[in-house]
């Protein structure tokens, strides 16, 4: 780690939020003659790689300058009055909870920009595509960096429009209905969430998330906390997505372009669970305590529902779409995150935060791989891929098949890979939930969740068998390209980090645990 002054850290965090917005505006301008390359389209795509690369570099420097000995302390803070009449402030900061999500967002967006430079999805002008990608990045990074409830809401909403257009304009079949369902579900959930945020701010007399977390709900009655958690939780649950508010997700993933699916699964879903950790747990603990068993029940139902839906799509004759299957798997995986949060214990919440990052890495890689398979075969239909000739990736594209098998076993939670630790810690948290929560109920949730891991292994192994295995291709069959250089560059960081996080979980847990301990203790270290 390196010693960086507080003023430079403040600049870096502000740069993370503002630079993509400035880059989005610049993307719409004509490229200078010396930077046009062979075409204006190539110039703007290169611009997207440059801006997202600069943001990723800033995130890495911010991580190196972060005081890892005190991850529970808000660092790189900026606090400027914005709307004095409402006491709304431009308040930014980063701690051990938000830092991994900032880096994950910067990494995935850069990899998506790099992938798009070589494999731009079919659709309108790349100018609008790059601008929307950068606005999406800015909104997501702002969500993880802001420390004011109203700013959180604005950042939370900022990502909706760019994601809507990415699906509606660059998506595949059924893209317009899928985009409309995405935006209607999330907007309706956000309206309810705003009412909950306003209720907290007006009752407590401040929208400052640090002050509210330190107060730990002492100035807000239990009944108000319950109403606030219910309202905020609905908006967050839609974005997560929690069963039964998940129905927008499969259509959105199926229709979205590859990079849209990667960002939707890798970072947008994390905004919902992050809101539960950053707002619901420390600011309204009594309300969260009342509703935690119900949250755990819905989370567990989502684990089983997502797994059964995937098993149904994976069976022969179901005409299951591989992208849709992975979307349903996200419902199950995010169920483990919500279960960990619902335990209200350091073990469970740390597991939830770890699973958040692991899911972003693994599912992002899975969507990249499925997009590549669809590009090569012209379809993601499982029955077509596993038909008479079969995809037989091990024989036709062995590196692609090997990566798909690796991502699948990582997703099912194989020990030694990132997917294992988050789910295990969430289940351990359910084994001994916070004081006052029904232990028999949470033991039941734990048992059902553990059964869900078996179902997860079942459908992912079926997918690997059907897509990767099969008869060797005949000599007269066309040769499929294996992993290209640009694909290797975009995918290898996710594979490497999946292994590193699985073998060395202390790197991530060392950041999150002190911050979680302080958060659950009401702002006291």
């Amino acid at each position: 780690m390196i010693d960086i002054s507080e003023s430079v850290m403040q600049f870096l965090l502000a740069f993370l939020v503002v630079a993509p917005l400035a880059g989005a505006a610049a993307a719409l301008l004509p490229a200078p003659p010396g930077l046009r390359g062979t075409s204006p389209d190539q110039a703007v795509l290169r611009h997207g790689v440059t801006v997202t690369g600069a943001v990723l570099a800033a995130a890495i420097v911010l991580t190196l300058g972060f005081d890892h000995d005190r991850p529970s302390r808000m660092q790189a803070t900026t606090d400027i009055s914005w709307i004095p009449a409402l006491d709304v402030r431009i308040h930014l900061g980063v701690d051990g909870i938000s830092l991994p999500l900032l880096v994950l967002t910067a990494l995935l967006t850069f990899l998506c920009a790099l992938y798009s430079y070589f494999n731009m999805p079919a659709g309108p002008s790349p100018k609008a595509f790059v601008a929307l990608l950068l606005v999406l990045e800015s909104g997501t990074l702002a969500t993880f960096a802001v420390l004011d409830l109203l700013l959180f809401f604005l950042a939370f909403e900022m990502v909706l429009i760019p994601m809507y257009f990415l699906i509606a304009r660059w998506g595949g079949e059924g893209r317009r209905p899928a985009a409309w369902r995405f935006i209607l579900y999330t907007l309706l959930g956000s309206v309810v969430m705003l009412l909950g945020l306003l209720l907290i701010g007006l009752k407590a007399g401040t929208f400052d998330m640090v002050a509210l977390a330190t107060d730990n709900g002492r100035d807000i009655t239990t009944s108000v906390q319950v109403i606030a958690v219910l309202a905020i939780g609905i908006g967050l649950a839609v974005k997560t997505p929690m069963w039964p508010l998940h129905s927008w997700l499969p259509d959105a993933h199926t229709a979205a372009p590859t990079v849209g699916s990667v960002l939707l699964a890798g970072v947008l879903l994390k905004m919902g669970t992050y809101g539960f950790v950053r707002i619901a747990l420390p600011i309204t603990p009594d309300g969260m305590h009342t509703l935690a068993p119900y949250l755990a029940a819905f989370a567990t139902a989502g684990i089983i529902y997502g797994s059964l839906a995937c098993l149904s799509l994976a069976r022969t004759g179901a005409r299951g779409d591989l992208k849709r299957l992975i979307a349903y798997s996200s419902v199950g995986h995010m169920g483990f995150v919500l279960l960990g949060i619902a335990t209200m214990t350091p073990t469970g919440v740390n597991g939830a935060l770890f699973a958040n990052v692991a899911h972003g890495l693994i599912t992002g890689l899975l969507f990249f791989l499925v997009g590549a398979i669809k590009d090569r075969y012209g379809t993601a239909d499982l029955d077509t891929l596993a038909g008479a000739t079969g995809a037989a990736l091990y024989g036709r594209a062995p590196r692609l098949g090997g990566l798909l098998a690796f991502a699948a076993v990582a997703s099912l939670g194989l020990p030694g890979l990132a997917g294992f630790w988050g789910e295990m810690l969430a289940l351990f948290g359910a084994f001994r939930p916070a004081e006052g929560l029904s232990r028999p109920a949470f033991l039941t949730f734990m048992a059902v969740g553990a059964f869900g891991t078996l179902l997860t292994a079942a459908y992912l192994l079926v997918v690997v068998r059907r897509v990767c295995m099969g008869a060797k291709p005949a000599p007269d069959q066309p040769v499929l390209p294996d992993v290209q250089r640009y694909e290797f560059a975009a995918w290898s960081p996710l594979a490497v980090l999946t292994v590193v996080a699985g073998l060395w979980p202390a790197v991530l847990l060392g950041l999150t645990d002190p911050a979680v301990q302080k958060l659950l203790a009401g702002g006291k270290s």
Side-chain angles (χ1 to χ4, degrees), residues 102 119 183 266 383 399 403 519:
L102 287 170
N119 189 8
I183 197 130
D383 286 337
R399 294 184 182 87
L403 274 172
L519 178 142

Side-chain angles (χ1 to χ4, degrees), residues 434-453:
E435 186 177 351
L437 295 177
S438 171
R439 194 177 182 212
F442 274 84
L443 286 174
T444 303
F445 299 144
M446 183 195 73
V448 175
F451 178 67
T453 63

Side-chain angles (χ1 to χ4, degrees), residues 105 213 277:
T105 301
V277 175

Side-chain angles (χ1 to χ4, degrees), residues 106-493:
L107 173 65
L108 284 176
T109 311
F110 169 71
L111 296 180
C112 286
L114 180 65
Y115 185 84
S116 299
Y117 179 78
F118 294 96
N119 189 8
M120 173 69 193
S125 164
K127 278 182 174 289
F129 177 84
V130 171
L132 290 169
L133 190 69
L134 293 172
V135 172
L136 182 68
E137 179 179 34
S138 179
T140 310
L141 290 169
T143 302
F144 300 136
V146 298
L147 297 172
D148 183 276
L149 289 179
L150 292 186
L151 277 185
F152 175 87
F153 175 78
L154 293 176
F156 197 85
E157 294 303 287
M158 184 176 166
V159 304
L160 300 185
I161 299 302
M163 180 54 72
Y164 167 80
F165 281 110
L166 285 174
I167 296 172
R169 302 301 299 276
W170 287 271
E173 184 179 352
R175 60 186 182 270
R176 293 190 183 277
W180 271 110
R181 177 173 288 191
F182 161 75
I183 197 130
L184 287 176
Y185 264 74
T186 49
L187 278 177
L188 288 173
S190 297
V191 169
V192 181
M193 183 178 74
L194 177 60
L195 296 177
L197 296 175
L198 291 174
L199 179 61
I200 290 175
L202 295 175
K203 288 292 183 181
T206 180
F207 291 100
D208 186 272
M209 292 162 66
V210 175
L212 288 167
T214 303
D215 187 69
N216 204 219
R218 283 183 285 271
D219 291 339
I220 309 174
T221 63
T222 300
S223 58
V224 171
Q225 288 190 37
V226 171
I227 296 171
V229 170
L230 188 60
I232 295 169
I234 289 173
L236 297 175
V238 170
K239 186 67 72 73
T240 297
M242 181 185 77
W243 180 90
L245 303 174
H246 69 284
S247 58
W248 61 269
L249 183 71
D251 290 339
H253 270 308
T254 304
T258 297
V259 294
S261 293
V262 171
L263 293 175
L264 184 58
V267 295
L268 263 67
L269 304 190
K270 312 303 174 285
M271 295 165 64
T273 51
Y274 174 79
F276 276 107
V277 175
R278 180 65 77 196
I279 298 173
L281 281 176
I283 297 175
T284 54
D286 294 336
M288 188 67 186
H289 193 278
T290 301
L291 297 176
Y294 303 98
L295 178 63
F298 282 119
T300 308
I303 294 171
I304 300 301
Y305 172 84
S307 299
L308 291 177
C310 290
L311 277 172
S312 177
L313 289 170
R315 64 184 174 84
T316 304
R319 308 298 298 178
D321 186 281
L322 197 49
K323 287 186 73 176
R324 195 174 190 86
L325 184 147
I326 297 172
Y328 273 111
S329 78
S330 292
V331 177
H333 288 305
M334 298 312 288
F336 283 101
V337 177
L338 291 172
L339 177 60
I341 293 169
T343 67
M344 299 185 69
T345 62
T347 301
V349 177
N350 276 305
L353 294 171
F354 197 103
N356 251 349
V357 175
H359 179 265
L361 296 171
I362 297 167
T363 308
L365 178 59
L366 278 170
F367 275 117
F368 268 135
L369 294 168
V370 173
I373 292 171
K374 190 172 183 178
D375 288 343
R376 286 159 170 77
Y377 287 88
T379 181
D381 181 83
L382 265 172
D383 286 337
T384 303
L385 292 173
T389 56
L393 286 181
Y394 287 155
R396 304 185 71 181
R399 294 184 182 87
L400 184 59
L403 274 172
L404 181 64
F406 166 81
V409 297
S411 185
L412 65 82
L414 185 73
L417 297 176
F420 171 73
W421 296 105
E423 295 181 3
M424 184 195 70
L425 290 173
L427 294 175
F428 278 3
F431 180 75
R432 197 174 298 278
E435 186 177 351
L437 295 177
S438 171
R439 194 177 182 212
F442 274 84
L443 286 174
T444 303
F445 299 144
M446 183 195 73
V448 175
F451 178 67
T453 63
L454 300 179
L455 296 177
T456 302
Y459 71 72
L460 285 169
L461 291 175
V462 169
V463 167
V464 171
R465 176 179 59 80
R466 298 191 68 196
V467 177
C468 294
M469 301 178 185
K472 291 184 178 180
D476 58 344
Q477 280 189 301
V479 177
L480 286 174
D482 209 339
V483 178
Q484 305 294 299
R485 289 183 179 179
Y486 75 91
E487 292 173 327
F488 181 79
W491 302 344
S492 57

Side-chain angles (χ1 to χ4, degrees), residues 62-117:
L62 182 72
T63 303
L64 294 175
F66 187 81
D67 186 353
H68 290 257
D69 293 329
R70 294 187 293 174
S72 62
R73 182 176 67 89
M74 280 294 171
Q75 302 179 36
T77 54
T78 299
D79 191 0
I80 304 170
S81 179
W82 184 35
I83 308 176
L86 297 176
D87 193 28
V88 179
R89 310 183 68 82
I90 299 176
H91 193 180
L92 306 177
V94 60
D95 65 355
I97 292 172
S98 54
L99 181 63
L101 295 172
L102 287 170
V103 177
L104 176 67
T105 301
L107 173 65
L108 284 176
T109 311
F110 169 71
L111 296 180
C112 286
L114 180 65
Y115 185 84
S116 299
Y117 179 78

